[in-house]
Amino acid sequence: MRLTHITVWGLGPHAIKNILPALASIDELTLYGVCSRNKDTVVHATEQWNCKAWTNPDEMLADQKVDVVYLATPIGLHAVQGMQVLNAEKHLWCEKPLTCDIADTRQLVHLSEEKKLTLTEGFMYLYHPQFTYLQQCITEQHLGAVKSVTCRFGLPFLDNPGFRYSRSLGGGALFDVGSYTISMLLALFPDQSPVVCYADIYGNDAYEIDLEGSAKLCFSGGIAAYLEWGIGRGYRNEIDIWCEKGSLFTDRIFSKPSDYVPEFRIKNLNGVESVEQGVPANHFIYMFKHFSKIIVSDTLVRNERQRILQLACYLEEIRHAAQNI
């Protein structure tokens, strides 16, 4: 049986720097092709990776050897393009978040169920050993019960933002960086359903998008989660977990180069700090290895669909709860 053939639709800087090299380096998948409107980018990619190339998505979707399409286009295009992929009987793997509208997300989830195709959302950090360590600390209560979680993700204004500053293409701080903080919280506490107690989302007249936001989510067991995100501020990418017997802080939890060595700053009951080091890893490679397993596991397929729907629901709740959107 041949390896699963995957094609990347969308060749922005992120796909070229992170997605294509990761796919080309693993044995579980075959990088079969690339698709983009930019002819020069397509030519360069196909020469570098020795794969097929299309500038017409319809031709790419008509190729019977394409098993999976990884959608790396702007968020605002995911809904329409995702429907095209699933209707062409291809598995849909997609950049985060899946869509910027909960109705569109539900439609894609329903169609993937109907056609018995996999649907995934590319939050790569979930597959890094750094995140696995956090999960173990919470599950095994290394520092006792969790009392609060503070999570931040923000970045300066970019010189070449691409779609990120376009409302029609799904830009904005909530979808671009805020979605990470919410997905983190839901992944760390998968069996709980927190309530959105407070949310704010702000923009300014110079931009058509939201630029910053914050939210407080409360759990029935007493855990409080404080989330903050933004564009146009100093770079932060971190999580701080405060427990009954100490606390745990780690930096670069969401985005990091493959040679980055995570550090976990742990304070005991009396505030004395120690530092533990994690292991470097390419979280895109780990992610695609996991996605390749989903194709042959009904349980993993269901879990991924549920995770996607849960995140979409909380993104919608936070938008509705915000007073300044």
Side-chain angles (χ1 to χ4, degrees), residues 136-151:
Q136 291 174 343
C137 286
I138 291 174
T139 302
E140 299 172 8
Q141 295 196 340
H142 291 180
L143 295 169
V146 176
K147 296 299 183 181
S148 70
V149 178
T150 302
C151 192

Side-chain angles (χ1 to χ4, degrees), residues 33 72 92 95 98 102 157 172 210 235 257 286 308:
L92 173 60
E95 275 295 317
L98 183 63
I102 190 169
F157 287 117
D210 59 292
Y235 188 83
Y286 276 65
I308 289 170

Side-chain angles (χ1 to χ4, degrees), residues 197-215:
C197 301
Y198 163 88
D200 263 330
I201 298 176
Y202 295 95
N204 66 39
D205 293 339
Y207 294 86
E208 62 180 35
I209 56 166
D210 59 292
L211 291 175
E212 56 188 70
S214 60

Side-chain angles (χ1 to χ4, degrees), residues 83-277:
M83 291 292 289
Q84 290 178 262
V85 171
L86 292 172
N87 280 320
E89 309 294 334
K90 316 295 185 186
H91 298 283
L92 173 60
W93 299 354
C94 189
E95 275 295 317
K96 58 76 199 169
L98 183 63
T99 79
C100 44
D101 183 272
I102 190 169
D104 290 333
T105 295
R106 286 174 173 153
Q107 189 174 20
L108 289 173
V109 168
H110 175 73
L111 186 58
S112 72
E113 289 176 323
E114 182 181 278
K115 291 186 172 292
K116 295 181 172 56
L117 295 165
T118 62
L119 178 66
T120 71
E121 194 172 40
F123 283 99
M124 70 290 181
Y125 78 91
L126 293 172
Y127 309 97
H128 196 286
Q130 184 184 18
F131 176 75
T132 303
Y133 181 90
L134 290 181
Q135 283 183 307
Q136 291 174 343
C137 286
I138 291 174
T139 302
E140 299 172 8
Q141 295 196 340
H142 291 180
L143 295 169
V146 176
K147 296 299 183 181
S148 70
V149 178
T150 302
C151 192
R152 297 185 177 93
F153 196 10
L155 60 156
F157 287 117
L158 303 175
D159 294 331
N160 299 296
F163 74 90
R164 288 178 172 83
Y165 299 171
S166 168
R167 179 183 290 272
S168 63
L169 292 178
L174 176 61
F175 292 126
D176 191 26
V177 286
S179 60
Y180 280 93
T181 67
I182 303 161
S183 72
M184 166 67 77
L185 184 66
L186 299 176
L188 287 177
F189 304 96
D191 299 324
Q192 301 189 44
S193 299
V195 175
V196 178
C197 301
Y198 163 88
D200 263 330
I201 298 176
Y202 295 95
N204 66 39
D205 293 339
Y207 294 86
E208 62 180 35
I209 56 166
D210 59 292
L211 291 175
E212 56 188 70
S214 60
K216 178 182 179 182
L217 281 73
C218 303
F219 294 82
S220 58
I223 301 173
Y226 305 93
L227 310 179
E228 190 174 6
W229 59 89
I231 297 173
R233 54 176 66 187
Y235 188 83
R236 296 187 78 167
N237 170 4
E238 63 196 32
I239 185 169
D240 193 336
I241 303 172
W242 198 356
C243 306
E244 61 180 346
K245 298 179 182 179
S247 63
L248 169 63
F249 172 89
T250 190
D251 203 4
R252 300 302 298 265
I253 183 61
F254 299 119
S255 177
K256 49 195 160 275
S258 59
D259 61 353
Y260 177 75
V261 179
E263 287 190 346
F264 303 94
R265 310 189 75 84
I266 302 167
K267 291 185 178 180
N268 67 14
L269 185 63
N270 298 311
V272 178
E273 184 176 271
S274 60
V275 178
E276 294 185 12
Q277 286 194 335

